[in-house]
């Protein structure tokens, strides 16, 4: 599996493949290395994208370190991908060379089931993730965006509006759609009292999107220190979740809460903020189950739900919305080397980033 | 507080009250006794009802034994009340003497807040419960249906369709509306794959109502022994919740689950039965919080919610629906004495009743 020296090569090669290179890990304890592999030859419905930028999502870190016990190696992470279309297959309708393109967390799905037909391909039982997954054949491994090029079915490629910079737009492909989808699903508008729990990679873009939809946004955070940033991003109010008095005063005030926190936490005080029939939507995935009191369910009859990224149609809609409102993520752009990625991972784990690291891929593999 | 001998009398009397009698307990450990008290003089918007029957709900038992730590004594339980209108105030529009009337779990609410205006008075912060509560003045205690007459604001009185027997209709006022409300809220019809968890007082009427709405009803029970009864009541399928294989086979098959179980139980296997975007609605109130895994929320994006009886408009609608479909509860009718009530409580705790005890009140206080 491992290459010689500091390089590593894929264990499967195709005589018809296109040479690609990226950064991969060979195990949960190995460092990133240069990885030479082959992308499939483009089919008629494929788009070939030269990757310019790739965001670092906390999911990458969970996967690289095998924290969810489902990692396969070698692994090239990355699912917040932006770049430029280099080539398209003959049946591709909506892309041509030179277009700004984005690829998010998935690169295929069955496209036949009732879930796919509802434009919620992300929840298809056969959806193919952008990395640490396989193609629909359940055999061919997928490799993500810490690499110089990617070949993706047209249906799973998005257009990036020309007015958005490709670097700061990259995290929209995951962090953006993850928060946009429930905001739309629950019809956020100027009448909405919206709560965003956690001001990280997801939360900060959730605030921007919610504010752009006209909502009155309240950020709920464990730390008073985030108040000023929250306000700058577009929030109108701020609650320190550990301050019982503040939380009590705000009881029954919110229509919708998007909870972006992935660490185990008590949701009871959050549910107490909901109005009668309000909606609580988890977009993070704490390892411990949420504990929901039955009386809260009976008395408040809330909708408690969750949301996973978004479908392709909705992701394009999100990007168009961001183009119209000139919304991108706040990022720290870094050159892409095995060492800088490691540093970025360490800082992300400590929440020491405002708000997303984005790797400069184009220059790394020039 | 206590009366002499085996009787007990109310601690508040009004010179303008109407003499009433019922069965009350003076504490969590005292037996039921005859209780002489006064109902308020009817106001212009009041309906005076001669009580004929009153169901025994498990809630009565929790309250009598102070299991929720919020009991006030003396307590006259009972909130599944049917009877005949004896007298109406001058502004009462929809009732007259001789009408068959029903009173459920509440007898007033603020009627001004946005919750009341949505016809969900049961969730009003100031709703007045039928017993172990107070009138809107927050002082005058309310006494329930184990008594010979009750005086209730017209808005909180329902009409019982003439074709329904008053005894078997009594539990509709709580068990019926508790299951009917979420069935309507989530638009159950012939396309609905409906699951009813638990086949007790609530569950059995939920099956009848769901079947009458055209749904394909699956009963989910811990006990195989309830299969035949479930089918007789109108279910089309039956799952033993402890049989992992059965539960696994039925994964992703249900649109809506009404969980009537009040004992702490694991909801994860139930949520696994839901289709993508299915609805789980708790109508019981286990003392332990429900534990909901985040991945279930993200992958299935269900609606997890609860429901508390129903509003007055909806309760009347439920009764009319039951009239039209000739639906009542399966009951064991018993004479009302302190001793029979005790026996019925003991048997209800053991789930040894099919499916509701109903007290014959009229003959008890003749």
């Amino acid at each position: 599996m491992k290459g010689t020296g500091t390089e590593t090569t894929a264990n499967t090669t195709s005589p018809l493949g296109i040479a690609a290179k990226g950064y991969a890990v060979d195990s949960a304890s190995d460092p990133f290395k240069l990885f030479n592999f082959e992308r499939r030859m483009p089919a008629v419905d494929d788009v070939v994208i030269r990757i310019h930028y790739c965001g670092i999502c906390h999911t990458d870190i969970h996967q690289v370190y095998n924290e969810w016990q489902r990692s396969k190696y070698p692994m090239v992470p990355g699912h917040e991908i932006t770049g430029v279309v280099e080539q398209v297959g003959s049946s591709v309708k909506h892309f041509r060379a030179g277009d700004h393109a984005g690829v998010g967390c998935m690169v295929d799905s069955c496209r036949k089931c009732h879930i796919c037909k509802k434009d919620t391909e992300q929840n298809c039982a056969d959806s193919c993730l952008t990395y640490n997954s396989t193609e629909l054949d359940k055999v061919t491994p997928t490799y993500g965006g810490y690499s110089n090029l990617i070949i993706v079915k047209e249906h799973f490629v998005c257009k990036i509006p020309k007015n958005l910079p490709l670097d700061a737009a990259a995290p929209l492909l995951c962090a953006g759609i993850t928060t946009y989808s429930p905001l739309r699903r629950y019809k956020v508008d100027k009448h909405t009292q919206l709560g965003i729990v956690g001001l990280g990679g997801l939360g900060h873009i959730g605030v921007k999107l919610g504010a752009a939809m006209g909502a009155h946004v309240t950020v709920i955070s464990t730390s008073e220190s985030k108040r000023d940033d929250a306000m700058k991003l577009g929030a109108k109010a701020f609650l320190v979740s550990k301050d019982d008095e503040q939380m009590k005063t705000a009881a029954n005030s919110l229509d919708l809460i998007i909870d972006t926190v992935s660490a185990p936490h008590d949701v009871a005080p959050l549910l107490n903020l909901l109005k009668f029939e309000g909606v609580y939507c988890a977009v993070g995935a704490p390892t411990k189950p949420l504990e929901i009191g039955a009386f809260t369910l009976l008395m408040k009859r809330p909708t408690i739900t969750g949301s996973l990224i978004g479908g392709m149609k909705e992701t394009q809609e999100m990007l168009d919305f961001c183009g119209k409102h000139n919304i991108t993520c706040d990022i720290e752009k870094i050159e892409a080397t095995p060492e800088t990625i490691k540093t970025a991972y360490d800082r992300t784990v400590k929440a020491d980033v405002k708000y997303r690291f984005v790797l400069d891929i184009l220059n790394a593999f020039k």
Side-chain angles (χ1 to χ4, degrees), chain A:
Chain A
M1 190 80 76
K2 293 189 186 181
T4 54
T6 58
E7 294 196 12
T8 183
T9 51
N11 57 341
T12 56
T13 57
S14 153
L16 295 172
I18 294 183
K21 54 180 74 177
Y23 292 122
V25 289
D26 276 331
S27 78
S29 56
D30 272 310
F32 276 97
K33 292 175 186 173
L34 185 64
F35 177 62
N36 292 301
F37 64 111
E38 289 187 337
R39 297 286 188 184
R40 68 167 180 267
M41 284 298 286
V44 292
D45 56 347
D46 271 325
V47 178
V48 180
I49 300 164
R50 179 69 49 183
I51 299 178
H52 286 216
Y53 298 101
C54 187
I56 293 178
C57 174
H58 209 125
T59 295
D60 299 348
I61 302 173
H62 291 303
Q63 299 279 29
V64 161
Y65 295 148
N66 196 20
E67 289 169 0
W68 293 335
Q69 308 294 317
R70 59 177 82 175
S71 295
K72 286 170 192 168
Y73 304 96
M75 182 194 298
V76 179
H79 60 210
E80 296 183 335
I81 298 165
T82 54
V84 176
V85 173
E86 202 156 270
Q87 182 186 330
V88 299
S90 59
S91 77
V92 167
K93 287 185 186 152
H94 304 294
F95 290 90
R96 50 185 174 180
D99 281 352
H100 286 188
V103 177
C105 301
M106 59 182 163
V107 289
D108 214 343
S109 73
C110 86
R111 299 168 70 181
K112 290 172 192 161
C113 69
H114 72 285
I115 294 176
C116 284
K117 286 183 177 162
K118 286 174 82 167
D119 295 317
T120 46
E121 305 95 336
Q122 74 278 18
N123 290 104
C124 169
D126 288 322
S127 71
C128 305
L129 304 184
T130 304
Y131 70 88
N132 196 43
S133 177
T134 61
E135 305 276 358
L136 270 183
D137 64 9
K138 306 280 184 195
V139 176
T140 312
T142 56
Y143 296 117
Y146 297 9
S147 65
N148 63 340
L149 65 85
I150 192 164
I151 296 167
V152 181
K153 299 286 165 210
E154 176 181 19
H155 184 78
F156 292 85
V157 182
C158 290
K159 283 204 178 170
I160 308 290
K162 280 279 182 185
N163 64 311
L164 299 183
L166 284 179
D167 51 2
L172 295 176
L173 276 301
C174 171
I177 184 60
T178 296
T179 48
Y180 180 89
S181 180
L183 295 177
R184 279 297 189 225
R185 185 170 161 212
Y186 293 103
K187 300 181 173 42
V188 165
D189 63 16
K190 64 182 180 182
H191 304 294
T192 309
Q193 292 284 337
L194 170 66
I196 301 281
V197 184
L199 198 68
L202 294 174
H204 95 283
I205 189 71
V207 172
K208 288 188 186 188
L209 292 169
M213 292 173 189
H216 182 279
V217 182
T218 298
V219 168
I220 301 125
S221 171
T222 52
S223 169
E224 173 69 28
S225 68
K226 297 207 173 174
R227 182 184 294 267
D228 289 348
D229 279 4
M231 297 309 191
K232 279 179 203 153
L233 289 163
K236 291 282 198 297
F238 187 88
L239 290 171
V240 178
S241 56
K242 290 175 177 168
D243 185 325
D244 292 345
E245 202 54 44
Q246 276 186 30
M247 293 292 278
K248 200 171 157 188
T249 304
N252 306 310
S253 69
L254 300 180
D255 297 292
L256 171 63
I257 290 174
I258 308 289
D259 187 346
T260 73
V261 176
S262 282
H265 60 293
D266 184 7
V267 297
L270 302 175
L271 298 179
N272 198 43
L273 297 175
L274 286 181
K275 289 182 189 172
F276 179 62
E277 295 191 326
V279 177
Y280 166 93
C281 181
V283 294
T287 47
K288 277 182 61 183
L290 280 64
E291 295 195 353
I292 318 271
F295 272 99
T296 300
L297 294 179
L298 267 53
M299 298 310 297
K300 195 157 276 193
R301 64 185 215 184
T303 291
I304 292 168
T305 189
S307 191
L308 178 75
I309 49 170
M312 293 316 301
K313 191 174 162 188
E314 199 171 40
T315 306
Q316 187 61 59
E317 184 190 303
M318 176 274 302
L319 288 166
D320 295 342
F321 180 87
C322 287
K324 186 176 165 194
H325 293 272
N326 216 28
I327 292 174
T328 53
C329 292
D330 287 14
I331 63 165
E332 294 190 34
K333 185 162 60 177
I334 56 176
E335 60 176 328
T337 71
E339 295 72 29
T340 57
I341 296 171
K342 173 73 170 82
T343 305
Y345 276 27
D346 291 347
R347 286 186 51 201
T348 300
V349 168
K350 288 187 285 186
D352 175 26
V353 52
K354 285 183 180 177
Y355 283 93
R356 216 39 155 199
F357 284 111
V358 170
L359 298 170
D360 180 344
I361 297 289
L362 187 65
N363 287 310
F365 296 108
K366 251 181 182 164

